[in-house]
Amino acid sequence: MPQSIHFISIGGSAMHNLALALQQQGHTITGSDEIIYEPSRTRLQQYKLLPGEMGWFPDKINTGLDAVIVGMHARKDNPELAKALELGLPIYSYPEFIYQQSQEKQRIVIAGSHGKTTIAAIILHALKYHNRIFDYWIGDPIDGFDTTVRLSSNAPLIIIEGDEYASSPIDSRPKFLHYKPHIALINGIAWDHINLYPTWDEYVDQFESLAEAMPKAGILIFDESDDMLDVIGQKERDDITKVPYFPHPGKVIDGQNYLITKQGKQIPINLFGQHNLKNIAGAMTVCDRIGITEEQFYEAIPSFKGVSCRLEKIAESANRIVYRDFAHSPAKVEAATEAVKQQYPSKELIAVVELHTFSSLNKAFLDQYNETMNAADEAVIFIDTKTLVDNQLSSISTDEVKAAFDHKNLHVFTDASVLHDYLQTKQSKKGQVFLLMSSGTFDGMNIKTVADELTHY
């Protein structure tokens, strides 16, 4: 039955995708936001969901609404939220709403500090390849899917990327606790989000809560090679099935990466790095539990191209290659750097990372980056000073960064134009790989343009 649903903070990545998906189901959608960036703005405009005026308007909230969905970027004192509370309207965070829409489905949740988007994307690719009917919620756009969420009345299962961020301004619980999964995969735990979880123990507690909240007869899949997951996975729960997994065997032959099956067959893949062999193994373990056989998985995986900004090759010439990656936390930076060096051992690796998140710019957290870029021949750190101001954090000196990373050949920049000029000076006869890592934008630097300039050398 069509409903009237209002979105507070409709411009967010997750929020605008959910709004589009619900509109496609026939629901009447309205929304508000203070500012909406691309690509959300163009997509909302295309479907006539872009608010006519930016800001908050309590008169949009009335008793004719069936539900209000509030995004994490809204403040607790948001005037539209206050009006919805005053009227007693049903208010949901988007994880709560997705659960409400999927109570009759088998719910598979992919969680962990890093790799969950790739694991979920591989599962979606395998299901789509074999023409299965399924719903999904994933954190980033992936090739072959128009939106990051699908909710339908006929799909028997839903694949959900579940993170440990707070659910909404009025609900500090991690998102993944709302989904009540029948199958949960936890792929790795590495401390992040120091603003939400000030200590390692508090961070780990969130994942233990997810494991403990599994319903009876649930299935907990976990990375056996992660020490903390081994503890979580072996907790005494006789009423759930615990399934460990290990990195899938693989090898590189003449620059091409292969999975090696139990029968010794070589399956070509487009991913590389030890962390991606773990991601593939986790996805394969889930697929086995939802009706995709090993043979079917191996048939589908060669055509999986990867996820945007996850070790994505964006430019290449005879002697230079440029990758970009979403890596920002210490574990992600280390995994990406090591993967690229192992893939191109004979080339000089210049790894560039922007310290952009609240955690990475916090002096109390900075030491977590110790030796994470040691696989790189040269490490470059960029800090946008405006981000420090916006997050009300104290400045970080070059000496403090160098001490934290402890890399023999490290350079620190705070001006994007100076960084750009510096990269242009890098030359090497043996060939180079540039790895640009950030969850930000390097202060608006056009990464594709920089990559094209580097590969025209």
Side-chain angles (χ1 to χ4, degrees):
M1 180 177 174
Q3 293 186 320
S4 180
I5 303 170
H6 182 77
F7 282 72
I8 301 176
S9 283
I10 195 171
S13 175
M15 292 285 280
H16 93 272
N17 273 285
L18 181 56
L20 295 178
L22 293 176
Q23 186 192 57
Q24 291 167 11
Q25 285 185 23
H27 299 294
T28 300
I29 305 299
T30 57
S32 300
D33 215 324
E34 287 182 308
I35 185 168
I36 300 179
Y37 297 102
E38 297 293 357
S40 303
R41 186 178 186 85
T42 295
R43 298 186 76 209
L44 288 170
Q45 193 168 35
Q46 181 182 352
Y47 291 94
K48 297 181 171 54
L49 290 180
L50 184 68
E53 188 178 352
M54 294 297 116
W56 310 115
F57 304 93
D59 57 354
K60 288 185 177 182
I61 308 300
N62 56 70
T63 54
L65 293 173
D66 296 293
V68 172
I69 303 177
V70 58
M72 188 56 216
H73 295 297
R75 296 167 59 93
K76 285 183 179 181
D77 60 357
N78 183 285
E80 293 188 6
L81 177 58
K83 181 73 174 293
L85 288 166
E86 178 188 328
L87 293 177
L89 297 175
I91 301 171
Y92 302 97
S93 62
Y94 80 76
E96 286 178 302
F97 190 83
I98 287 177
Y99 172 72
Q100 290 295 325
Q101 298 293 303
S102 60
Q103 291 188 61
E104 304 303 317
K105 304 177 189 294
Q106 183 184 30
R107 295 179 298 281
I108 298 94
V109 172
I110 311 302
S113 301
H114 49 87
K116 54 185 175 289
T117 301
T118 298
I119 293 173
I122 294 172
I123 297 168
L124 298 191
H125 177 79
L127 288 169
K128 184 177 182 181
Y129 183 93
H130 291 289
N131 299 312
R132 301 298 172 86
I133 299 172
F134 60 96
D135 285 346
Y136 60 89
W137 149 244
I138 190 168
D140 288 287
I142 56 174
D143 193 48
F145 294 83
D146 293 334
T147 62
T148 61
V149 61
R150 181 182 188 270
L151 295 171
S152 68
S153 59
N154 62 330
L157 75 161
I158 182 169
I159 311 297
I160 302 170
E161 179 182 337
D163 66 58
E164 63 276 20
Y165 283 111
S167 298
S168 81
I170 55 174
D171 183 358
S172 61
R173 290 173 294 175
K175 293 189 186 80
F176 55 41
L177 288 186
H178 288 292
Y179 299 128
K180 302 179 183 178
H182 301 99
I183 299 175
L185 179 147
I186 308 178
N187 71 313
I189 300 176
W191 186 29
D192 200 0
H193 316 315
I194 191 173
N195 52 322
L196 292 175
Y197 309 113
T199 68
W200 161 251
D201 289 338
E202 287 178 85
Y203 186 65
V204 172
D205 284 348
Q206 312 312 310
F207 292 93
E208 291 191 341
S209 296
L210 175 62
E212 291 167 0
M214 294 284 296
K216 290 183 179 180
I219 299 171
L220 175 61
I221 299 170
F222 61 99
D223 178 2
E224 177 71 17
S225 65
D226 188 297
D227 293 338
M228 185 51 60
L229 282 182
D230 188 51
V231 174
I232 293 173
Q234 300 305 330
K235 283 204 165 190
E236 292 301 321
R237 279 289 304 272
D238 295 333
D239 56 345
I240 66 172
T241 302
K242 288 163 282 195
V243 183
Y245 66 89
F246 299 88
H248 196 293
K251 66 168 58 175
V252 183
I253 304 174
D254 297 328
Q256 173 62 54
N257 293 269
Y258 295 90
L259 299 178
I260 308 301
T261 71
K262 295 172 185 174
Q263 296 76 29
K265 187 176 179 181
Q266 297 175 357
I267 308 295
I269 54 172
N270 295 305
L271 305 180
F272 64 89
Q274 186 71 7
H275 67 298
N276 273 324
L277 291 176
K278 290 183 181 184
N279 291 337
I280 289 169
M284 189 172 178
T285 306
V286 171
C287 283
D288 177 65
R289 296 284 171 164
I290 58 176
I292 299 292
T293 66
E294 272 192 21
E295 183 179 356
Q296 289 172 325
F297 185 86
Y298 288 135
E299 182 184 341
I301 192 65
S303 56
F304 179 70
K305 296 178 181 178
V307 180
S308 176
C309 291
R310 269 66 171 186
L311 287 185
E312 180 184 11
K313 185 190 294 184
I314 57 174
E316 183 175 12
S317 63
N319 66 337
R320 280 183 164 181
I321 305 171
V322 182
Y323 282 92
R324 66 175 174 183
D325 195 276
F326 191 69
H328 53 83
S329 68
K332 294 177 183 178
V333 168
E334 184 173 29
T337 306
E338 289 181 350
V340 174
K341 188 59 180 179
Q342 289 168 9
Q343 186 72 7
Y344 302 98
S346 63
K347 293 184 182 295
E348 179 187 13
L349 172 56
I350 300 165
V352 186
V353 63
E354 177 181 14
L355 300 183
H356 173 73
T357 64
F358 185 96
S359 294
S360 66
L361 291 169
N362 192 306
K363 290 183 181 181
F365 187 78
L366 201 58
D367 284 344
Q368 299 295 315
Y369 286 94
N370 187 252
E371 298 186 347
T372 55
M373 299 179 76
N374 277 9
D377 297 285
E378 181 176 340
V380 178
I381 310 301
F382 176 72
I383 299 174
D384 183 357
T385 53
K386 293 195 294 292
T387 306
L388 285 169
V389 174
D390 291 344
N391 285 285
Q392 299 180 336
L393 293 167
S394 57
S395 61
I396 301 173
S397 71
T398 296
D399 287 343
E400 286 171 325
V401 172
K402 289 184 175 181
F405 278 84
D406 193 21
H407 189 282
K408 63 184 182 298
N409 185 14
L410 184 142
H411 306 271
V412 181
F413 295 91
T414 57
D415 186 313
S417 62
V418 177
L419 169 62
H420 172 271
D421 293 344
Y422 178 79
L423 293 176
Q424 304 304 316
T425 68
K426 305 307 296 177
Q427 297 182 14
S428 173
K429 292 182 179 179
K430 69 176 183 177
Q432 295 166 307
V433 184
F434 293 83
L435 172 60
L436 309 177
M437 297 175 280
S438 178
S439 60
T441 65
F442 292 96
D443 191 22
M445 188 165 64
N446 189 317
I447 299 300
K448 188 65 174 73
T449 298
V450 171
D452 289 340
E453 290 171 351
L454 289 171
T455 50
H456 279 132
Y457 161 70

